[in-house]
Amino acid sequence: MKKLKITIQYDGSAYHGWQVQKNAVTVQQTFQDAVEKVFGERLDVVGCSRTDSGVHANMYVLTLETDMNITDEGVIMALNSNLPNDISVIACSECEKDFHPRYSCKSKEYVYRLYNGKRRNPFYSRYSFYYRKEIDADYLNREAQAFIGTHDFSGFCSSKSDVEDTVRTVYSFSVKRDGDMIIFKVEADGFLYNMVRIMVGTLLFVSEGKIKSSELADIISSNDRSRAGKTAQPQGLYLNKINY
């Protein structure tokens, strides 16, 4: 029996997130369907993270165990032949038995894409959040540095979360403009439910003047969700990189 580490990419537009749910199509369920066709049995697929409905992944790591004699390239080709076009296997390799896609992770990086043009662009509607009000990316980049460090982020977490430990360490946070696209990029040792989307929504409140300059540090330490911004729309969010 060997353990395979598989890396995939997916467009989350048509899915209710990663994890299997009743009465909803998810990425995990769709992937397990393909695995069953290739390996002849419904193997247990363990993922690196939960993602919300409509959220995308540039890099998503999962594992499965099999006793089938098949090459890594054979796994990639066979799975891709049985997956829909919005999910793609990009890498496969055998890993140590104690490797866990979630618990072996040292950090994760998310990217949030916000389209800031004067008119909506239909080609970006599924892959970015359209926001018409003008944004000063350099200003938001300076303000976003308040998130860096080890903090209790309970004020930046959905009420649906049942996680007891809400302390996370944010290693970096940048906000940059690329033409009409504003790109938020954040790396941390872990994230709470909706944390990145609430961070982005809070920075938009800063941009709108609803939160004053240099007030973010106080909002973070308050642990008060009502003081942070709205939860930004899911389609702009990408699980971008997993570091092991």
Side-chain angles (χ1 to χ4, degrees), residues 4-41:
L4 298 179
K5 173 187 174 185
I6 298 173
T7 304
I8 66 173
Q9 294 177 320
Y10 60 81
D11 172 353
S13 302
Y15 302 99
H16 290 262
W18 160 260
Q19 193 169 4
V20 171
Q21 300 177 34
K22 292 183 179 179
N23 304 316
V25 178
T26 66
V27 179
Q28 184 181 26
Q29 173 195 325
T30 305
F31 191 84
Q32 284 181 316
D33 290 344
V35 166
E36 187 171 9
K37 292 177 182 177
V38 172
F39 294 93
E41 56 182 321

Side-chain angles (χ1 to χ4, degrees), residues 61-85:
V61 177
L62 56 91
T63 58
L64 59 82
E65 294 188 38
T66 179
D67 55 8
M68 180 180 285
N69 185 20
I70 183 172
T71 65
D72 295 342
E73 185 62 27
V75 171
I76 295 172
M77 293 181 65
L79 286 174
N80 281 338
S81 295
N82 288 279
L83 284 167
N85 291 335

Side-chain angles (χ1 to χ4, degrees), residues 28 48 59 74 85 96 147 156 162 192 208 213 219 228 238:
Q28 184 181 26
C48 64
M59 177 183 181
N85 291 335
E96 298 295 328
F147 288 118
F156 290 80
D162 57 0
L192 302 173
E208 295 169 9
S213 176
I219 291 174
Y238 299 72

